[in-house]
Amino acid sequence: MTYIAKPRLHHPSLVKNKAGYTRRDYEGAVSTLCAGCGHDSISAAIIQASYELDVLPHQIAKLSGIGCSSKAPTYFLGASHGFNTVHGRMPSVMTGANLANKNLVYMGVSGDGDSASIGLGQFAHIMRRGVNMTYIVMNNGVYGLTKGQFSATADKGSISKKGVANSDESIDLVSLAILMGATFVGRSFSGDKHQLVPLIKAAMDHKGAAFLDVISPCVAFNNHPGSTKSYDYVREHNEALNRIDFIDGRDEITTSYDPGSVTTVQQHDGSLLRLRKLGEEYDPSDKVAAMKRVQEGMQDGEVVTGLLYVDATPKDLHHHLNTVDVPLNTLSDADLCPGLPALDRINASLR
Amino acid sequence: MKPTDIANPDYFHKVVDCQWACPAHTPVPEYIRLIAHGRYSDAYMINWKSNVFPGILGRTCDRPCEPACRRSRVEDENLVKGKKEPVAICRLKRVAADYKDDDDIAAQMPKAPPKNGKRIACIGGGPASLTVARDLAVLGYEIIIYDQDPKLGGFIRTQIPHFRLPESVIDEEVGHITGIGNIEFRHQRIDSLKAVLAEGYDAVFVGSGAPRGRDLDVPGRKEAAANIHIGLDWLSSVSFGHISKVGSRVIVLGGGNTAMDCCRTARRLGGDDVKVIVRSGFEEMKASPWEKEDAMGEDIPILNMLVPKEVTHKDGKITGVLFEKVKAEYDAKGRRSLVPSGEPDEHHECDDVLVAIGQENSFPWIEKDAGIEFDKWGLPKLNEKTFGSTHPKVFFGGDAAFGPKNIIWAAAHGHDGAISIHKMLIGEDPEERPAPGVNVASQKMGIHEWSYDNAPTIDHRLKVPHRPKKEALKDIMAEVELGFDPQLAFKEAQRCLNCDVQTVFTGQLCIECDACVDICPMDCITFADNGEEKDLRTRLVAPAMNPTQDLYIGDNLKTGRIMAKDEDVCLHCGLCAERCPTGAWDMRKYYMEMTQAEHACRKQ
């Protein structure tokens, strides 16, 4: 780990966002992960996205489970709420937190072990319930903390650092998330912030279950020839379907695009997702086509990235449950205990 | 852009802004680190080798290094709770001189070898000549220094008041040079260059300074001559004890450092009402800002935009000076001229006037047919590399060469002149200058340990303690600045960013994981597609806005992109190297020192 704190001196051009904070204000402690870990790049992308969205740091809650990835929230958003849960149980805690206070921006950070092995059940259920959140899996295909065993997302046939081939089928969290009802699903690569930052911004703005599978090479145990989650492999096999520009509803639109090169998705809050086409025709609003394309990619050994599926009018858990519009902790005694006449009315309605 | 050629010693030398800006290219960060470690003698010797007069310069240098200091580009006023300020490099140098172990220094001083039979005359005993003497005496040359004053030192001794520079410091540092041996001092004014040449010297070095103070040419000058003094001569007389009093009301004319020395000296010799009056605006004055500050701190007002018109006098005695008020006007090209403002003239009463309106070179002792050509400004025509004149055996340096500058330039000229003389006398071409000596060493000690203190502090610049004003003004020999004590010196030394510990990038090792980009506190590293410099500067993580600072370009990356690092704001904290998994970044100390007249400057 690094001994010195990141110096507080900064570039003279550093500017404050509309919330009054510089990008540096969204940072956390200096990382104790291995030097070169992809997770640190994802942390940097989360910092950049939060800064660009002008979110107030205390309006974000970051939750994580256990593992290298789940340590990462210490290294970003140092002024936000944090909850480090039991292994694999982050989705339940986040569901509970979200139910209690719907006004916060929820960010779940997990890894392939935490989400695809011990927490696979929880992962499936938080997606099908439509909890309004951004769920990021820092996916390196390997158990780094226990020194390099294959995780459940390691591709079948990929070679471990010790030279052993993986004989198990891999779990594709993107396919699973789409199948389970997530309304915003994307995949990206820690080494490509131009793609990753707008995806995180769009996911944070999405009012439903948003899932991002971010391939994040483990430099210590999974960055060798034969790995399918190394920097080199991902760069060579990255099949980016689109580039997304996230345009906040409040922003003036200044970029111009060649006609025919862009698909625009307007979300219900007015924000726009502009998808710049990269080669093939791809419609991310077609759920069945998305699942097909992702599966084809897996078959061909491609790492399909970009915004893979989005439902522009998502419904979240609060909508399904018809909850009150305010956080539960702001309800007064009078709201919670409306008195005998109200009880009488309820009883009468059941007779 | 082409990948950066880091094998060229100038590239990383430029990154060490202070060293690059120093005329003598003193390895500043290295000696500052030694001061922080309490190794004052070692710090002193680095300075001594490079600039010859550490104790003197540590009090009087014009400090071209400080405006160049990176610290003043990267500080944040809110964090340091003060202005953006450079490291107090000059006053740290003094710490090395104040706290060194004198026996240790004496033991390290070189001794002259047996004479090699060649004799060199140095005209003038100031810093340029003394530097030449030091560099050449150790090679066996016999040096004869001529000066009109009874002691060596030149302007260092005659012009700088003792309350700024105690004489003991001059004696000590001149003594280091004369103690080498092979150096003879002759207290003798030179009236003829031809006579010197006729003595058969193998080379002559002219370091005679710019010894003539410009005079005032206004009505009344002659009539009141008894109370009008040329600043340079007056300071010199004060220095040698010929003058010990001045009238109670004194006007100092001029806005340079000599004027500042004159007014502060006058305050100590009985001047209660001393004022400095300058023609130009306050901001354009030539005096260093800190010297103006010190003068004003001694209750000396500085009045500007006043041009002396007439010296008023009664019965052969001065009564005052009449000034015309002017204002600045700028023409289309931005050139300034001072024009009368139309306001009524101002009369300032006084008992004495000190004239410090500039100094000039004067070479009445160089005969027209001596073989030395002069330019239209009266300065010798010189080869700018070798300092050689139109006479093959005669070299110039210091103020005598390119007009009035300051001590650090004189030392730099001295080194260069010595190289030229040495090369000429061993039969080599003085035009071929030796490359600097460079020593490169990785500073990595462990996975996350470096052999330098890499955490930048956010302390603001510390002030040097001064003697209480009342006490200081009473005694002309009492040094005003007391210098940093070791605790303050440590704190100030820690502000240094160690710019000589360079970020060195090896593209072949890089896996483009972005760890360095993410950790860099100054956002100065970018991986991008290559392009023209102008375009690339705008495409970086943070725009590179200072075109005087280089972009470091690294190639050989697998993706075909390039690494671009903006050297402008790098803190040299080493976090890029610390977070690099493959060692593609390394922190390497580039110790660079100029090659002086020595064996290393010979062709191999």
Side-chain angles (χ1 to χ4, degrees), chain B residues 274-588:
Chain B
V274 180
K275 43 178 149 325
V276 173
I277 302 184
V278 291
R279 306 176 65 217
S280 65
F282 181 81
E283 295 303 324
E284 302 126 60
M285 287 169 63
K286 279 203 179 137
S288 314
W290 53 90
E291 301 216 5
K292 292 198 272 187
E293 230 170 77
D294 287 345
M296 292 186 293
E298 294 179 353
D299 310 321
I300 299 165
I302 298 177
L303 312 177
N304 65 357
M305 295 290 183
L306 292 169
V307 178
K309 204 173 172 184
E310 188 189 339
V311 177
T312 58
H313 52 90
K314 199 179 168 193
D315 307 330
K317 211 177 167 320
I318 193 163
T319 53
V321 183
L322 189 67
F323 292 90
E324 179 176 52
K325 293 190 107 177
V326 292
K327 59 181 182 184
E329 263 182 16
Y330 296 88
D331 67 8
K333 282 187 183 153
R335 275 178 309 204
R336 190 205 63 170
S337 53
L338 297 171
V339 296
S341 71
E343 292 164 83
D345 291 345
E346 258 180 39
H347 184 257
H348 289 271
E349 293 182 359
C350 69
D351 304 315
D352 277 296
V353 172
L354 301 173
V355 182
I357 54 175
Q359 58 199 70
E360 297 170 318
N361 286 71
S362 95
F363 301 100
W365 54 280
I366 296 181
E367 294 89 344
K368 285 219 166 70
D369 60 348
I372 310 280
E373 288 177 30
F374 289 89
D375 63 17
K376 58 178 171 179
W377 297 283
L379 290 170
K381 284 187 182 167
L382 299 180
N383 177 323
E384 286 187 17
K385 248 194 219 171
T386 65
F387 294 85
S389 69
T390 47
H391 187 295
K393 281 188 176 174
V394 181
F395 296 80
F396 283 72
D399 289 357
F402 301 116
K405 284 188 173 172
N406 41 61
I407 304 167
I408 188 67
W409 281 101
H413 291 175
H415 290 313
D416 273 324
I419 290 172
S420 302
I421 292 171
H422 179 50
K423 284 207 146 214
M424 176 186 76
L425 295 180
I426 57 174
E428 286 183 9
D429 181 4
E431 291 249 11
E432 282 171 19
R433 310 305 287 183
V438 183
N439 190 341
V440 186
S442 174
Q443 300 299 292
K444 203 171 176 72
M445 304 276 283
I447 292 178
H448 300 293
E449 280 169 297
W450 305 96
S451 66
Y452 71 108
D453 212 343
N454 60 330
T457 65
I458 50 171
D459 291 328
H460 57 77
R461 179 179 169 122
L462 297 173
K463 282 207 157 62
V464 177
H466 279 210
R467 190 181 297 278
K469 188 160 76 184
K470 246 186 169 172
E471 219 176 280
L473 289 177
K474 251 189 253 165
D475 180 2
I476 194 162
M477 303 302 266
E479 191 173 12
V480 175
E481 284 195 14
L482 302 173
F484 287 132
D485 63 26
Q487 285 75 34
L488 287 177
F490 173 75
K491 218 172 166 210
E492 184 61 30
Q494 289 297 87
R495 293 180 71 239
C496 175
L497 294 169
N498 302 289
C499 300
D500 60 339
V501 181
Q502 307 283 357
T503 54
V504 179
F505 182 73
T506 312
Q508 290 91 328
L509 297 174
C510 178
I511 58 170
E512 298 174 64
C513 68
D514 273 2
C516 50
V517 178
D518 297 334
I519 196 69
C520 177
M522 305 307 282
D523 303 321
C524 61
I525 303 170
T526 305
F527 289 82
D529 293 326
N530 205 347
E532 289 304 315
E533 178 166 355
K534 219 176 145 190
D535 151 61
L536 199 55
R537 280 180 176 271
T538 62
R539 284 196 282 123
L540 305 180
V541 175
M545 301 166 295
N546 183 352
T548 64
Q549 293 277 328
D550 287 330
L551 291 186
Y552 178 7
I553 305 295
D555 64 350
N556 286 321
L557 297 175
K558 272 193 186 143
T559 57
R561 298 184 296 174
I562 49 126
M563 184 287 301
K565 184 198 157 212
D566 179 11
E567 297 283 13
D568 184 26
V569 290
C570 173
L571 299 177
H572 297 253
C573 63
L575 283 176
C576 50
E578 203 159 312
R579 296 304 298 167
C580 180
T582 61
W585 285 107
D586 191 19
M587 301 306 291
R588 293 188 196 154

Side-chain angles (χ1 to χ4, degrees), chain A residues 57-98:
Chain A
H58 65 272
Q59 294 286 10
I60 304 177
K62 45 178 187 173
L63 295 96
S64 64
I66 294 295
C68 297
S69 60
S70 298
K71 284 171 64 158
T74 309
Y75 316 132
F76 58 82
L77 298 173
S80 299
H81 306 282
F83 198 127
N84 206 188
T85 75
V86 182
H87 204 356
R89 270 59 186 163
M90 179 267 280
S92 326
V93 178
M94 187 150 63
T95 306
N98 183 294

Side-chain angles (χ1 to χ4, degrees), chain A residues 1-4 6-12 23-24 31 33-36 40-41 44 193 219 223 231-232 235, chain B residues 74 76 79 448 454 456 458 511-514 518-519 521-523 542-543 545 558-559 569 575 578-579 581:
Chain A
M1 61 175 265
T2 297
Y3 297 142
I4 71 165
K6 184 165 172 173
R8 288 165 65 202
L9 296 172
H10 55 78
H11 194 275
R23 195 188 73 247
R24 297 289 303 275
S31 173
L33 297 168
C34 306
D40 287 333
S41 280
K193 285 203 198 67
V219 274
N223 194 37
Y231 282 106
D232 288 349
R235 285 205 170 98
Chain B
V74 300
D76 174 321
L79 286 177
H448 300 293
N454 60 330
I458 50 171
I511 58 170
E512 298 174 64
C513 68
D514 273 2
D518 297 334
I519 196 69
M522 305 307 282
D523 303 321
M545 301 166 295
K558 272 193 186 143
T559 57
V569 290
L575 283 176
E578 203 159 312
R579 296 304 298 167

Side-chain angles (χ1 to χ4, degrees), chain A:
Chain A
M1 61 175 265
T2 297
Y3 297 142
I4 71 165
K6 184 165 172 173
R8 288 165 65 202
L9 296 172
H10 55 78
H11 194 275
S13 72
L14 195 70
V15 286
K16 288 181 175 167
N17 62 10
K18 285 177 191 151
Y21 297 101
T22 67
R23 195 188 73 247
R24 297 289 303 275
D25 294 326
Y26 291 86
E27 289 177 349
V30 167
S31 173
T32 60
L33 297 168
C34 306
C37 181
H39 297 4
D40 287 333
S41 280
I42 303 173
S43 297
I46 293 171
I47 290 165
Q48 184 72 30
S50 304
Y51 163 74
E52 289 179 11
L53 282 178
D54 307 317
V55 201
L56 294 167
H58 65 272
Q59 294 286 10
I60 304 177
K62 45 178 187 173
L63 295 96
S64 64
I66 294 295
C68 297
S69 60
S70 298
K71 284 171 64 158
T74 309
Y75 316 132
F76 58 82
L77 298 173
S80 299
H81 306 282
F83 198 127
N84 206 188
T85 75
V86 182
H87 204 356
R89 270 59 186 163
M90 179 267 280
S92 326
V93 178
M94 187 150 63
T95 306
N98 183 294
L99 277 173
N101 185 349
K102 66 199 297 186
N103 283 359
L104 298 182
V105 175
Y106 287 92
M107 179 169 292
V109 174
S110 180
D112 35 320
D114 197 54
S115 283
S117 293
I118 192 169
L120 189 63
Q122 300 239 334
F123 176 83
H125 288 287
I126 198 169
M127 296 304 164
R128 61 181 270 275
R129 285 180 178 137
V131 176
N132 180 8
M133 59 167 183
T134 301
Y135 193 120
I136 294 175
V137 165
M138 300 179 170
N139 185 356
N140 59 17
V142 78
Y143 294 138
L145 278 182
T146 53
K147 308 214 168 166
Q149 302 82 0
F150 287 118
S151 81
T153 62
D155 289 312
K156 189 175 185 181
S158 67
I159 313 290
S160 74
K161 195 176 182 181
K162 287 276 183 198
V164 182
N166 181 24
S167 54
D168 296 339
E169 286 294 340
S170 76
I171 293 174
D172 179 37
L173 291 171
V174 161
S175 301
L176 193 57
I178 299 175
L179 188 65
M180 288 298 146
T183 45
F184 182 107
V185 179
R187 186 188 278 133
S188 189
F189 169 45
S190 69
D192 185 0
K193 285 203 198 67
H194 293 299
Q195 183 189 46
L196 180 55
V197 172
L199 270 176
I200 295 176
K201 283 168 72 178
M204 286 171 75
D205 189 67
H206 183 78
K207 302 289 182 282
F211 171 68
L212 291 176
D213 177 29
V214 187
I215 312 295
S216 173
C218 172
V219 274
F221 296 108
N222 207 7
N223 194 37
H224 48 266
S227 160
T228 57
K229 301 243 181 324
S230 66
Y231 282 106
D232 288 349
Y233 184 90
V234 179
R235 285 205 170 98
E236 276 161 31
H237 297 83
N238 191 343
E239 188 62 32
L241 298 181
N242 46 39
R243 285 274 170 189
I244 167 173
D245 290 332
F246 173 75
I247 299 164
D248 197 303
R250 296 168 294 171
D251 292 341
E252 192 188 343
I253 298 167
T254 50
T255 325
S256 60
Y257 299 91
D258 291 336
S261 68
V262 168
T263 315
T264 304
V265 180
Q266 176 151 29
Q267 304 199 98
H268 70 285
D269 66 344
S271 64
L272 297 177
L273 304 179
R274 297 217 144 161
L275 298 164
R276 274 177 285 153
K277 200 167 67 182
L278 299 171
E280 68 187 275
E281 206 63 54
Y282 182 74
D283 175 10
S285 63
D286 183 339
K287 188 168 176 173
V288 176
M291 293 183 69
K292 182 162 174 280
R293 182 68 187 86
V294 170
Q295 289 297 315
E296 280 170 3
M298 278 180 77
Q299 211 169 15
D300 300 343
E302 288 173 348
V303 183
V304 175
T305 61
L307 176 57
L308 304 174
Y309 172 62
V310 62
D311 175 352
T313 53
K315 304 275 187 296
D316 82 331
L317 180 60
H318 286 279
H319 175 85
H320 301 321
L321 298 182
N322 193 23
T323 57
V324 290
D325 280 339
V326 293
L328 300 187
N329 64 0
T330 62
L331 295 174
S332 65
D333 283 354
D335 294 328
L336 293 169
C337 194
L340 205 54
L343 181 62
D344 288 343
R345 266 202 309 281
I346 292 169
N347 283 338
S349 75
L350 297 171
R351 287 206 175 92

